[in-house]
Amino acid sequence: MKILLAEIFVSYTQKTIKDTLLKMGHEVEERKYYTPEDNYGDERIAGMIEKDIKDVKAGCVFTVNIWPPVARACHNTGVSYVAWSYDSPQNLPTNDDLNYDTNYLYIFDRREVEIYRKQGINRIFHMPLAADTGKWDKVPDNGKEYDISFLGSLYESTLPGLMKGMSEYSRGFTEGIVAAQQKIYGYFIVDDLLTEDFVRSVARDFKMMNARQGKKVFSEEITIRQLAYSIASYVTYLDRLSLLRVLSSRADMHLFSSVKDETQPLLKGINIHGYAEYETQMPVVFKKSKINLNPSLRIIRSGISLRCLDVMACGSFLLSSFQEELAESFEDGREIVLYTSLEDAVAKAEFYLRNDEIRENIARAGYEKVKKEFTYESRLKEMLEGIGGKQNGNIFKSGK
């Protein structure tokens, strides 16, 4: 098949997807579409895609993540659009372009797919992510230098700023949601607690605050989706900060992240290395670490993040907060280790640091599972077989 591989933003998985498609025997024409406007709404992208579909005679267009202008271009030209998300949530401004019959849109988080289905979107399907063990096998393993590492963002949230514009009641209710979510792993209770009425009350709070300030400081068009993400990112920040701080008092703790100056004092005792590049530095970090942490971004309701798969694909040990799909796909205590509280995470980290053989056996078992069941080739094969699925049923199998 002739595939137009459209790069709308710089993604971690683009290169591996291209290499795998070529290995599978497809013709791949890769084009970059960077513009100064919003990638979700810039009509120039749609126009360029339409032109290139005709020029290269593409049988389908493939993107990492879902992009409405690409969906419109494919709909206008009658060409299949396949998208595979590694971000959650997609944060799409509207659902207007999601239900075209040319769309084959895949999201790695099953619970997020269910949310779209409840909204009447039936062209989004569930597809877990993948990892390339062969790529990471080429990275030398020179032994362990770090006890515990975390590679990722701290997610410093906008929520504290938003709460300044809330009434006392709204602020107290939001703080209650944060406190409750902190105690619960593996289930995003924010979905149950946030209502349209509450978000409207917050919008009224912002309107009154703006009036008192004499200028528009807070957006009065806030949505449930925006507030839910703000809460989730703040809880994730608290999760990650508290876990790193506690573990740093018990072990050699290393953080690979871009950290703001004002956050540095909160990370005393933690070895801060800065951002690690995905292709070259990330696998080295994973292989050097006895324990690699995955305190999940709380808005990922059930899915297995790319970080988890890449840690295991490097043959390294993963200690992750509980995620429904992780628990379904991997055996806890044999292929990965899951925790359900801060105290549980600390106790398990201390245990596995003391028990090298058990930890290394788990890392090997996780590697073998990813190598066998989470390959790019099997995922891409299933997605591309889904094209025309109204006739052959494959797309419905993918959307399990």
Side-chain angles (χ1 to χ4, degrees):
M1 182 187 299
K2 188 69 171 288
I3 299 173
L4 175 59
L5 182 60
E7 186 171 6
I8 311 299
F9 77 127
V10 178
S11 72
Y12 298 136
T13 58
Q14 181 91 5
K15 183 179 185 301
T16 304
I17 288 171
K18 179 182 179 181
D19 292 344
T20 305
L21 289 171
L22 290 170
K23 180 182 175 184
M24 292 167 66
H26 296 287
E27 293 183 68
V28 179
E29 184 74 30
E30 186 177 27
R31 300 284 175 90
K32 302 180 189 296
Y33 302 91
Y34 301 151
T35 73
E37 301 298 330
D38 176 15
N39 288 338
Y40 293 111
D42 192 341
E43 285 305 318
R44 284 178 294 175
I45 295 177
M48 289 186 286
I49 294 279
E50 285 191 40
K51 180 179 182 299
D52 287 345
I53 286 172
K54 296 170 184 175
D55 287 348
V56 305
K57 297 180 174 59
C60 83
V61 178
F62 193 107
T63 65
V64 177
N65 288 357
I66 299 168
W67 303 99
V70 182
R72 289 195 291 277
C74 290
H75 175 65
N76 292 341
T77 54
V79 169
S80 297
Y81 174 38
V82 182
W84 189 17
S85 165
Y86 77 168
D87 281 331
S88 182
Q90 281 290 271
N91 197 31
L92 301 172
T94 72
N95 293 342
D96 293 347
D97 301 293
L98 300 184
N99 254 347
Y100 299 136
D101 59 8
T102 46
N103 285 349
Y104 300 85
L105 312 176
Y106 296 90
I107 291 178
F108 76 91
D109 188 327
R110 186 175 58 227
R111 296 297 180 194
E112 188 180 358
V113 174
E114 291 172 0
I115 290 172
Y116 280 109
R117 291 296 174 85
K118 289 177 182 177
Q119 296 170 353
I121 308 301
N122 58 18
R123 304 300 299 181
I124 290 184
F125 307 91
H126 177 232
M127 182 61 69
L129 295 172
D132 187 346
T133 55
K135 177 195 289 187
W136 304 142
D137 285 345
K138 296 173 185 176
V139 177
D141 188 343
N142 297 317
K144 307 302 180 188
E145 292 186 22
Y146 314 134
D147 283 349
I148 307 174
S149 294
F150 173 63
L151 190 155
S153 172
L154 290 180
Y155 281 102
E156 297 171 24
S157 173
T158 59
L159 187 66
L162 290 176
M163 287 197 291
K164 291 178 182 178
M166 294 181 186
S167 68
E168 185 176 350
Y169 170 80
S170 297
R171 187 164 52 250
F173 185 76
T174 303
E175 289 171 347
I177 294 176
V178 169
Q181 185 66 81
Q182 279 185 273
K183 297 176 182 178
I184 298 173
Y185 289 72
Y187 184 74
F188 192 57
I189 63 168
V190 178
D191 288 333
D192 299 327
L193 298 177
L194 279 186
T195 66
E196 292 286 357
D197 285 343
F198 177 70
V199 174
R200 279 193 290 268
S201 75
V202 171
R204 288 194 295 271
D205 295 342
F206 290 168
K207 186 174 182 178
M208 292 173 64
M209 177 61 76
N210 289 339
R212 287 196 295 270
Q213 298 267 350
K215 57 182 178 180
K216 192 170 185 178
V217 180
F218 299 97
S219 172
E220 298 164 17
E221 290 78 40
I222 190 166
T223 66
I224 282 185
R225 183 181 297 176
Q226 291 166 340
L227 188 54
Y229 182 80
S230 188
I231 291 172
S233 58
Y234 185 58
V235 174
T236 303
Y237 168 73
L238 296 176
D239 285 344
R240 295 180 176 183
L241 185 63
S242 57
L243 181 60
L244 296 179
R245 285 166 61 98
V246 172
L247 287 175
S248 70
S249 66
R250 291 165 165 79
D252 178 36
M253 182 72 235
H254 293 257
L255 171 64
F256 294 83
S257 182
S258 299
V259 179
K260 293 181 179 179
D261 290 342
E262 57 267 31
T263 307
Q264 297 272 356
L266 301 176
L267 300 171
K268 187 177 180 181
I270 298 170
N271 299 286
I272 303 173
H273 297 267
Y275 173 79
E277 195 275 330
Y278 181 79
E279 292 281 342
T280 59
Q281 296 172 309
M282 180 201 73
V284 174
V285 171
F286 290 161
K287 293 191 178 197
K288 282 184 176 181
S289 304
K290 294 179 181 178
I291 293 176
N292 289 279
L293 297 175
N294 177 58
S296 293
L297 173 59
R298 292 301 193 111
I299 201 77
I300 301 176
R301 293 164 171 86
S302 68
I304 304 172
S305 69
L306 187 62
R307 179 192 299 109
C308 293
L309 295 177
D310 281 334
V311 167
M312 289 185 279
C314 286
S316 302
F317 179 90
L318 176 67
L319 176 61
S320 175
S321 57
F322 182 88
Q323 287 290 106
E324 182 179 346
E325 293 181 54
L326 265 176
E328 291 171 356
S329 298
F330 296 91
E331 186 176 339
D332 187 14
R334 196 182 79 81
E335 296 166 329
I336 57 169
V337 175
L338 301 173
Y339 63 86
T340 56
S341 69
L342 175 61
E343 295 77 14
D344 189 31
V346 172
K348 287 176 175 176
E350 291 180 327
F351 173 81
Y352 287 106
L353 282 176
R354 293 194 304 268
N355 292 274
D356 293 346
E357 185 176 355
I358 297 174
R359 187 187 69 243
E360 290 164 6
N361 287 339
I362 291 171
R364 279 193 292 272
Y367 169 86
E368 292 300 332
K369 172 64 73 68
V370 169
K371 183 177 182 179
K372 180 180 179 182
E373 299 184 13
F374 288 80
T375 69
Y376 274 91
E377 186 165 349
S378 64
R379 297 286 189 252
L380 290 167
K381 182 175 184 289
E382 187 171 356
M383 285 185 279
L384 293 175
E385 285 179 349
I387 295 175
K390 287 182 179 179
Q391 285 73 42
N392 63 30
N394 286 330
I395 193 167
F396 302 108
K397 178 177 180 287
S398 301
K400 52 187 175 286

